[in-house]
Amino acid sequence: MIDPLILITEMMLGGALFGLIYGHYYGLSLTQRRQLQQKTQQLQQQNERLDEFTSMVSHDLRNPLNVAQGRLELFQRDGDRAHLAQMKDAHNRMEALIRNIHELTQTQQITVDRQPIEIESVVNQSWDHVETDEGTLVTNLDGVIAADTGQLQRLFENLFRNAVEHGGETVTITVGELENGFYVEDDGPGIPEEDRDDVFKSGFSTAADNTGFGLAIVANIAHAHDWTVSVAESVNGGARILVTDVEWITRS
């Protein structure tokens, strides 16, 4: 006859072992379920962004395409070459849209390689790569930050391009230091206060002939660096874009 004490001990050990095994697999199951839920949510968000993005692109391309088709029909009807200039403008806008859309998609998921960068050098290089007409650049900064060189240059190029498009050919753009970042401001018409929460959204613009992607690209690059980007009014009443939470390695 089995000793009751031994039987009870074996049952307790068996129960404990079962509990450990069950707990282990139950814990794995919970972890796997959470991971699956996270992936599902990510896919849903990606699909929602893709649907929104597709609708926006379709909408923005439709207008210049209609203009080009309409002007072509008019040219075929009356032979007036003035219609060709309008067609060219429409095609240029479509080209700009496609270029900006491509750039925006590239900044959706950026791999940032932070390196010490002399920010003034990147600012000047960015200025040289943008059609600034008769615009003027003023720099009030002299320091080193930790950032991805290529992405930082892209950020400044889009800010400069945006300032020229909204501020006019003779706009003055100033880049300066903040305690925890930097700013880019202009002496143009500025951004209405009621629009400041929307300017970093894809496709939003206060100008009828603007693609509305420039500041969205800026926001993507800033967020990839864990920076914060916001809008205020410049000392001259223009737009002031602030990029904060930036790591300064050295400052002037």
Side-chain angles (χ1 to χ4, degrees):
M1 182 176 179
I2 300 176
D3 189 331
L5 182 60
I6 296 176
L7 181 61
I8 293 172
T9 302
E10 290 179 347
M11 290 176 64
M12 291 177 63
L13 288 173
L17 181 61
F18 175 78
L20 286 172
I21 295 172
Y22 178 78
H24 174 72
Y25 282 104
Y26 182 72
L28 284 178
S29 178
L30 282 178
T31 301
Q32 291 170 344
R33 282 205 295 264
R34 290 195 190 99
Q35 291 175 345
L36 181 59
Q37 288 174 350
Q38 290 175 352
K39 289 181 180 179
T40 301
Q41 289 175 352
Q42 290 174 354
L43 287 173
Q44 288 176 341
Q45 291 172 354
Q46 289 176 358
N47 287 336
E48 289 173 1
R49 287 197 298 267
L50 181 60
D51 289 341
E52 180 183 356
F53 190 72
T54 302
S55 299
M56 178 182 62
V57 171
S58 176
H59 175 270
D60 287 350
L61 284 175
R62 187 179 299 116
N63 289 334
L65 182 60
N66 288 341
V67 170
Q69 290 175 334
R71 290 295 175 175
L72 176 61
E73 292 174 2
L74 290 173
F75 174 71
Q76 290 173 333
R77 187 179 65 189
D78 57 32
D80 187 348
R81 298 185 65 84
H83 298 306
L84 297 180
Q86 297 294 328
M87 288 177 58
K88 182 179 179 180
D89 289 342
H91 281 101
N92 287 342
R93 176 159 176 77
M94 285 188 284
E95 182 180 3
L97 278 167
I98 293 170
R99 182 178 62 250
N100 288 338
I101 289 166
H102 176 66
E103 187 173 3
L104 181 64
T105 57
Q106 287 183 321
T107 59
Q108 292 291 336
Q109 292 185 355
I110 303 172
T111 300
V112 173
D113 180 21
R114 284 182 174 85
Q115 300 290 336
I117 297 173
E118 292 184 0
I119 187 170
E120 186 175 21
S121 175
V122 176
V123 167
N124 291 329
Q125 290 175 10
S126 303
W127 181 258
D128 291 339
H129 292 165
V130 175
E131 293 183 12
T132 52
D133 298 317
E134 301 299 321
T136 301
L137 175 66
V138 178
T139 58
N140 296 320
L141 71 171
D142 181 20
V144 176
I145 67 171
D148 184 294
T149 304
Q151 297 301 336
L152 183 63
Q153 181 171 324
R154 182 181 291 182
L155 180 144
F156 280 119
E157 287 175 1
N158 277 281
L159 287 176
F160 294 157
R161 192 176 297 116
N162 183 76
V164 171
E165 290 174 349
H166 289 83
E169 296 180 355
T170 59
V171 66
T172 296
I173 301 171
T174 303
V175 184
E177 291 184 12
L178 298 170
E179 183 66 28
N180 62 340
F182 56 86
Y183 66 87
V184 177
E185 67 178 20
D186 60 59
D187 59 355
I191 300 173
E193 191 169 353
E194 62 271 18
D195 293 332
R196 292 176 187 173
D197 291 336
D198 298 321
V199 293
F200 296 109
K201 296 178 180 178
S202 300
F204 181 88
S205 177
T206 58
D209 58 347
N210 189 271
T211 62
F213 291 112
L215 291 183
I217 293 169
V218 168
N220 284 346
I221 295 171
H223 294 159
H225 283 81
D226 297 320
W227 298 340
T228 301
V229 61
S230 58
V231 181
E233 185 175 316
S234 72
V235 293
N236 295 314
R240 180 180 172 97
I241 309 298
L242 302 96
V243 181
T244 54
D245 299 321
V246 177
E247 179 188 354
W248 283 100
I249 298 176
T250 62
R251 293 186 61 194
S252 55

